[in-house]
Amino acid sequence: MMNELISRDIHTLAAGLQRKDFSAVELVRAHIDRIRSREADISALITQTEEHALARAAEADARLAGGDAPLLCGIPFVLKDNICTEGIPTTCASRMLADYIPPYSATAYARLQEAGAVLLGKGNMDEFSMGSSTENSAFYPTRNPLDPIRVPGGSSGGPATAVAAGEVPFALGSDTGGSIRQPAAFCGLVGMKPTYGTVSRHGLVAFASSLDQIGPLTRTVRDNAAVLSCISGPDGQDDTARYTFAAAEDLFSGDIRGITVGLLRFPGDETDSAVRAAIEDTAAALAERGAQIREVTLLALKDALPAYYILSSAEASANLARYDGVRYGARAGSAGTPDELFCTTRSTYFGPEVRRRILLGTYALSAGHRDAFYLRAQNAARRIRTAFAENFAVCDCLLCPTAPTVAFPFREKTDPVAMYLGDLFTVPASLAGIPAISLPCGTSDGLPIGVQIMAAAGNDGLLYRLAAVIEEVHA
Amino acid sequence: MSQFDIDGIAAIARLTVSDGEKKALAEDMAAILAFAATLPEADPYEEEAARSLSALREDEATVSDPAPLLHAAPKLSENAFTVPSGGIA
């Protein structure tokens, strides 16, 4: 019985809790046992919250006994370790914040708590979300549960691994340039980056504030929509949080007749043939269900990667300036002048990729280089937004791979630019602030392939509608 | 593209780079900047946007005296987001 609980989706577990087939405490204990048996091999978590979880599960059982508990009441989950949790360490997988215990909780976490969901741990990640493999964690890399010699993707690699390994039925990650979608693709999950402004960023440790967005990682499309419904909506603590997503039942009717799907061709695309074939098969399956498929090329997207790395690094250099050993973060021992203290602290506690991006961002914003880099990147982002807007006037959504390859082996990409090129398909939606979802659409050598769907801002529901059909095709 | 002055940028960013890691970091940064330098300069989109901006500025410039508009603005107590019943003169 307990083993069966660890592979089920949220809706099945919620029905079991409501029927009293098992209690929330039993459900949480089953997942704690699973974490104990799997963590040594995969290292998905930085912090485990067993005692806290059992206390919360007991509260959930009392609420379930009352008869009107929300769907997520008693359901265990993991948060990426850049989402603040009052009284529970939030490290961003950085030595800089290794001892940080937030005095407040992120809004997204608070909303899950209100719904009665049970936090089981904080997921590993690339330091300050800078990376695409979770190899940049200052503590240890996380291993892909489907093949431990391979990366789980990143930067939300820990949360994705925890869900894929059966440690929890869902997790929250954050996505700045693909950090939810790419690990979802590598681990065979559903990962959603909602429209920018759908989920409050209050309590999300900032990397690039104009791009960062929290979103769910789940085993099914329906679960994903349910979690997003719970955490979305305006928040007085974040003025950019403007949209509310509500998962209407008809989203999952399977009716996609008349929806126009653009099969997106990317300039500079060197996607693996197996990945490309899986995407084209998926488009064909959607056509059989009544969608209209047309090929689309958006030339503006050729500039998305360099624009993303300039803009995100520029914002990161500003956002991470606060970690100086005085205002925030760890402090290096006995430095002399304030400047020496700042430099020693930051050089001691930031990892190599974080320092690289701070240097890049500082350079791009510095006098004499701002026009050549930062302003050109801003213009490129504007062109990308315009290209998407023009496209969505004639096409309801766009279909493309989530990543050019399946999960790659550890230490395969040591050149930073080679690693950045893997984000080709995910960064455009981030720059445009539009919603994008990744879900499994086949396998190559036993490893999952992810398909990404993008739509106009606010059309998150359309993504779920199409994703539910793709999920059914590949069930 | 100008040479990447790693010590100068590190000083602005309040980081120190040891001699041991300087060479590798400079090579990484050069590769990343070469990648970033592929971004194009202004194209027709930006020129069009710039023209629109100029037009807006010209429109604003045709208001010779903004004072009457300012005085006609609704008082805060009247609810600044609602046009008064008599309209704005």
Side-chain angles (χ1 to χ4, degrees), chain A residues 358-360 362-364 366 369, chain B residues 4-15:
Chain A
I358 290 174
L359 288 173
L360 175 62
T362 304
Y363 182 79
S366 61
H369 305 294
Chain B
F4 186 79
D5 169 15
I6 200 154
D7 288 322
I9 296 299
I12 297 170
R14 291 195 157 128
L15 289 168

Side-chain angles (χ1 to χ4, degrees), chain B residues 23-39:
Chain B
K23 184 169 177 287
L25 192 54
E27 283 172 4
D28 282 350
M29 294 309 300
I32 294 168
L33 289 172
F35 172 62
T38 59
L39 286 170

Side-chain angles (χ1 to χ4, degrees), chain A residues 303 305-306 310 339 342-343 346-347 355-356 358-360 362-363 369 376-377 379-380 383 386 390 416 420, chain B residues 1-2 4 9-10 12-16 21 25 28-29 31-33 35-41 43 45-46:
Chain A
D303 299 326
L305 268 176
I310 291 294
D339 251 353
F342 299 156
C343 288
R346 289 163 63 78
S347 302
R355 282 186 286 154
R356 205 154 36 216
I358 290 174
L359 288 173
L360 175 62
T362 304
Y363 182 79
H369 305 294
R376 280 191 197 183
N379 284 335
R383 280 197 301 277
T386 303
E390 288 172 353
Y420 299 170
Chain B
M1 186 176 55
S2 59
F4 186 79
I9 296 299
I12 297 170
R14 291 195 157 128
L15 289 168
T16 49
E21 62 181 341
L25 192 54
D28 282 350
M29 294 309 300
I32 294 168
L33 289 172
F35 172 62
T38 59
L39 286 170
E41 292 186 54
D43 77 350
Y45 274 123
E46 275 92 47

Side-chain angles (χ1 to χ4, degrees), chain A residues 258-331:
Chain A
I259 293 176
T260 310
V261 179
L263 186 54
L264 187 56
R265 305 293 187 194
F266 269 66
D269 173 8
E270 294 178 4
T271 303
D272 276 4
S273 56
V275 174
R276 174 56 60 194
I279 303 305
E280 297 196 350
D281 288 350
T282 300
L286 292 175
E288 278 178 24
R289 300 293 190 97
Q292 295 169 14
I293 309 294
R294 61 164 66 179
E295 292 214 2
V296 172
T297 301
L298 302 180
L299 291 177
L301 300 192
K302 72 179 170 49
D303 299 326
L305 268 176
Y308 169 78
Y309 276 96
I310 291 294
L311 296 176
S312 63
S313 298
E315 289 190 37
S317 71
N319 274 329
L320 271 59
R322 72 191 73 174
Y323 301 104
D324 55 14
V326 176
R327 289 173 294 176
Y328 284 94
R331 178 184 297 188

Side-chain angles (χ1 to χ4, degrees), chain A residues 133-219:
Chain A
S133 65
T134 318
E135 290 170 292
N136 293 336
S137 167
F139 305 131
Y140 36 75
T142 293
R143 297 186 176 278
N144 191 315
L146 306 172
D147 182 353
I149 68 157
R150 293 173 188 271
V151 302
S155 61
S156 307
T161 297
V163 179
E167 293 184 345
V168 279
F170 80 94
L172 294 189
S174 70
D175 192 312
T176 305
S179 289
I180 291 173
R181 291 163 282 161
Q182 186 250 29
F186 282 9
C187 293
L189 301 173
V190 182
M192 175 74 164
K193 184 201 87 71
T195 300
Y196 184 82
T198 303
V199 181
S200 169
R201 289 178 296 106
H202 173 65
L204 172 67
V205 179
F207 163 17
S209 309
S210 74
L211 306 169
D212 298 338
Q213 190 65 178
I214 293 174
L217 286 147
T218 57
R219 294 189 189 124

